[in-house]
């Protein structure tokens, strides 16, 4: 391997703003998962909410995020600015965090949860389009893989911190929710001061992405990526079933959360290496490899309930996620016109969300 191709040199070539976007995602995921990992239990035990109420809140929140994603991507293309839309999305999510700590009813939780998901919907497409704008074309896969890896680190650190604080503070939900405000605010500050958006031609007129002539510029190659992304989402079952399979294996209840932590660790550890690999390898071949790993995960999980087989299946599942999720984001960037990337990510996220 040539020195120029070493992982260290590749990481050093990734622009600082992409590193910052990765840590922005990490901090917000730590905050969100500290709350969301405890929220159903908080609602059931402290607020006395029924399972139906909890399900309705989660459904309304996720449906709202799906709708918002497409519009925020289009708006970022129209304005020619992506960073401040992302700031608005992250800020909205941060503002909701104290509401969870103060809430005394399910309606307050629902309002905060929906607002939090609106924030997620606003930031998603502009942030991904911003990464595509900043990253050099030859490092685009590595850039998306790095952001995905850091994001996933936050996804397992959040519940881990929450569990530790629950033990330390005798199950004081509200105190933990207040702590979650800190990384959320740090996330917004890091985005504002740490990320530089590329300069755009000030004389260029705004682009209306929903005009027919502009939508036609989204080629068949792009729409195939959208279809493939939706197919991969349909091919996966809910991660909740990984937890249920672990329960069927006879694992102690206290150890079952570690199953999802293992999946997240493998996901985080594999996202960047496979993202880097995608810059020098056929995307289709890598997607096929990812699908084969998913099939292997399903077969292993179906073969036996023994805890060792469950852990092996979960490991393969995390590997599949690391191989495919950053790659699909890279493929959207490669197949969409630069001035329509926000719209492209909006459609992609919408269709994958519907499939989910």
């Amino acid at each position: 391997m040539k020195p120029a191709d070493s992982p260290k040199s590749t990481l050093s070539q990734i622009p600082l703003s992409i590193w910052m976007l990765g840590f922005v995602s990490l901090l917000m995921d730590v905050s969100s998962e500290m709350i969301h990992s405890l929220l159903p239990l908080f609602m059931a035990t402290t607020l006395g909410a029924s399972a139906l109420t909890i399900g309705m809140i989660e459904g309304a929140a996720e449906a709202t995020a799906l709708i918002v994603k497409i519009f925020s991507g289009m708006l970022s293309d129209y304005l020619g600015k992506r960073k401040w839309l992302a700031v608005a999305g992250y800020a909205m999510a941060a503002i909701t965090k104290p509401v969870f700590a103060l809430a005394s009813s399910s309606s307050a939780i629902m309002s905060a949860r929906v607002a939090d998901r609106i924030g997620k919907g606003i930031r998603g497409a502009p942030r991904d389009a911003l990464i595509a704008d900043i990253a050099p074309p030859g490092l685009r896969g590595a850039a998306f893989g790095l952001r995905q890896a850091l994001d996933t680190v936050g996804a397992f650190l959040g519940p881990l911190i929450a569990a530790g604080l629950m033990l330390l503070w005798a199950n004081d939900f509200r105190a933990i929710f207040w702590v979650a405000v800190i990384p959320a605010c740090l996330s917004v500050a890091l985005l504002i001061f740490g990320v530089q958006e590329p300069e755009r031609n000030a004389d260029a007129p705004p682009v209306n992405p929903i005009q027919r002539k502009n939508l036609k510029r989204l080629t068949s190659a792009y729409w195939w990526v959208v279809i493939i992304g939706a197919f991969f989402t349909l091919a996966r079952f809910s991660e909740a079933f990984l937890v249920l399979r672990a329960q069927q294996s006879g694992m102690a209840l206290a150890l079952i959360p570690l199953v999802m932590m293992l999946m997240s660790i493998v996901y985080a550890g594999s996202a960047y290496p496979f993202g880097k690999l995608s810059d020098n390898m056929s995307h289709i071949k890598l997607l096929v490899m990812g699908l084969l790993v998913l099939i292997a995960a399903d077969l292993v999980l179906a073969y036996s309930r023994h805890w060792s087989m469950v852990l092996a299946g979960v490991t393969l599942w995390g590997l599949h996620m690391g191989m495919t999720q950053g790659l699909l984001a890279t493929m959207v960037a490669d197949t969409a016109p630069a001035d329509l990337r926000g719209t492209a990510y909006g459609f992609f996220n919408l269709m994958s969300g519907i499939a989910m």
Side-chain angles (χ1 to χ4, degrees):
M1 179 181 289
K2 297 178 182 179
D5 294 330
S6 68
K8 183 177 179 180
S9 64
T10 301
L11 286 172
S12 67
Q13 292 175 56
I14 294 177
L16 179 61
S17 287
I18 290 176
W19 280 93
M20 294 299 101
L21 283 167
F23 283 109
V24 166
S25 293
L26 186 155
L27 287 167
M28 187 57 74
D29 257 30
V30 167
S31 174
S32 295
E33 293 303 324
M34 283 180 68
I35 293 174
H36 299 162
S37 63
L38 299 177
L39 195 58
L41 190 59
F42 171 70
M43 293 181 65
T45 60
T46 303
L47 301 182
S50 66
L52 176 62
T53 300
I54 295 171
M56 289 177 64
I57 289 174
E58 289 301 306
E62 294 305 327
T64 302
L66 289 180
I67 295 169
V68 173
K69 281 178 180 179
I70 182 70
F71 293 107
S72 66
M74 289 179 177
L75 185 59
S76 76
D77 288 337
Y78 179 76
L79 297 175
K81 297 290 183 182
R82 311 202 193 277
K83 173 181 170 177
W84 291 104
L85 271 174
V87 169
Y90 278 102
M92 180 173 287
I95 290 169
T96 67
K97 305 308 182 191
V99 179
F100 293 105
L102 296 169
S104 58
S105 67
S106 296
S107 59
I109 293 290
M110 183 169 185
S111 298
R113 192 79 174 90
V114 169
D116 174 71
R117 293 298 89 179
I118 290 174
K120 182 175 182 179
I122 290 173
R123 69 183 183 249
R127 179 204 60 214
D128 288 345
L130 182 58
I131 292 173
D133 291 345
I134 295 172
L139 295 175
R140 199 170 277 154
F144 278 107
L146 176 65
R147 193 211 69 82
Q148 194 68 61
L150 292 172
D151 180 89
T152 310
V153 168
F156 74 77
L157 280 181
L160 186 63
I161 293 170
L165 292 178
M166 285 285 280
L167 291 172
L168 185 63
W169 291 346
N171 301 332
D172 189 339
F173 290 99
R174 296 186 189 275
I176 296 168
F177 292 168
W178 278 117
V179 172
V181 175
I182 298 171
C185 292
L186 289 174
S187 174
V188 177
L190 186 60
L191 178 55
I192 293 172
F193 298 108
V195 176
Q196 299 296 321
E197 184 167 10
E199 291 292 333
R200 295 178 181 272
N201 184 358
D203 297 327
V207 174
N208 182 355
I210 60 174
Q211 285 184 341
R212 188 175 180 181
K213 65 178 182 180
N214 283 326
L215 290 177
K216 283 184 175 180
R217 293 167 57 210
L218 295 173
T219 64
S220 59
Y222 162 74
W223 290 111
W224 271 113
V225 175
V226 172
I227 292 169
I228 291 170
F231 170 77
F232 268 73
T233 305
L234 283 172
R236 293 190 295 268
F237 48 76
S238 169
E239 292 173 2
F241 288 100
L242 297 178
V243 175
L244 293 175
R245 193 58 169 168
Q247 184 182 29
Q248 292 174 350
S249 74
M251 291 179 65
L253 289 178
L255 297 179
I256 288 177
L258 297 179
V259 168
M260 294 307 297
M261 191 174 298
L262 171 63
M263 194 275 288
S264 295
I265 289 172
V266 175
Y267 186 0
S270 60
Y272 172 73
F274 279 107
K276 181 176 180 294
L277 180 62
S278 73
D279 289 326
N280 301 289
M281 179 179 178
S282 165
H283 291 169
I284 298 300
K285 288 183 179 179
L286 193 53
L287 276 177
V288 170
M289 288 170 57
L291 182 59
L292 292 175
V293 171
L294 176 61
I295 293 170
D298 290 344
L299 291 174
V300 169
L301 289 166
Y303 176 72
S304 171
R305 295 185 182 185
H306 191 272
W307 65 267
S308 62
M309 297 299 286
V310 172
L311 293 182
V314 168
T315 299
L316 289 170
W317 187 279
L319 185 62
H320 155 77
M321 295 294 287
M323 293 174 73
T324 59
Q325 297 310 288
L327 173 60
L328 287 167
T330 303
M331 292 174 72
V332 172
D334 288 348
T335 55
D339 60 334
L340 292 178
R341 281 177 181 149
T343 303
Y345 280 109
F347 276 123
F348 178 82
N349 290 332
L350 178 67
M351 295 306 296
S352 295
I354 291 172
M356 185 182 299

